[in-house]
Amino acid sequence: MSYPPPSRARSGPRRRTLLASAAGAAVLLAGCTSGTGPDGGTSSPSARARKRAAADSTALLARYDAALAAHPGLDERIAPLRAAVAAHVAAFDGKAVPSASASASPSATGDEDDAKHGGKAASAGPSVSPDPVPATEKDARAWLAAAERTLADRRTRALLDVPGELARLMASVAAAGAAHAFVLTEGDK
């Protein structure tokens, strides 16, 4: 027994399918362009992790600045480490690192000491660290090394919670922090 052909063959998608697709596309576009959640913060876990990493590096940079202000004799030993931390801030913030010529010129910032340490814009954080700088240079280096180790450990634990490219960046910065801790305490034993 054969069945009769359908009375009217449909060509193309149904109206309900088109309306659902249009509504879905609108929601998708709104979600992609807003970038913020209901609390006003960034909606992606990756963006939150990147923001926290930038804040952590900014706080560490403030420690370096405080140590350099309290112990100018440490300049030769820790200025390169401070510059690396400033680059970490820039990498997590997504902002360009100031060029060497711009930060090396006293006239670029108006203050020779400021230019020597990467300029005020490079720190982007508070000028005073949360706890006081130790009284001796050796203790100040140990204080910085402890902060570097703590931050490297925190970033290493966070690697499981972030996607590929950010995980690679965090792993690299954590390794640099561990190396900084070693350099800061080298020769103290």
Side-chain angles (χ1 to χ4, degrees):
M1 174 167 170
S2 71
Y3 294 101
S7 61
R8 181 175 143 209
R10 298 196 185 263
S11 64
R14 294 183 179 200
R15 183 175 15 170
R16 202 175 306 164
T17 305
L18 287 174
L19 289 174
S21 297
V27 168
L28 181 64
L29 286 174
C32 289
T33 58
S34 73
T36 59
D39 62 350
T42 55
S43 60
S44 122
S46 177
R48 286 191 301 271
R50 184 178 284 275
K51 185 175 180 180
R52 172 159 182 173
D56 288 343
S57 289
T58 300
L60 182 60
L61 189 61
R63 279 183 177 250
Y64 273 94
D65 289 341
L68 284 168
H71 302 288
L74 287 175
D75 182 55
E76 187 176 321
R77 187 163 185 181
I78 69 173
L81 304 177
R82 186 222 174 266
V85 172
H88 299 160
V89 171
F92 286 123
D93 269 349
K95 297 176 184 168
V97 178
S99 69
S101 62
S103 63
S105 161
S107 63
T109 61
D111 180 15
E112 183 176 335
D113 187 54
D114 206 29
K116 188 184 224 180
H117 300 297
K120 291 177 186 168
S123 71
S127 60
V128 179
S129 68
D131 47 343
V133 178
T136 67
E137 287 185 2
K138 181 179 178 180
D139 290 343
R141 287 186 290 115
W143 176 68
L144 288 170
E148 287 275 15
R149 268 189 231 98
T150 300
L151 189 52
D153 290 345
R154 184 180 321 146
R155 287 183 172 148
T156 302
R157 285 190 304 274
L159 289 176
L160 297 173
D161 301 328
V162 295
E165 191 60 36
L166 181 56
R168 284 186 285 277
L169 175 61
M170 286 181 75
S172 176
V173 173
H180 290 178
F182 175 78
V183 169
L184 286 164
T185 57
E186 182 182 36
D188 289 347
K189 297 177 178 150

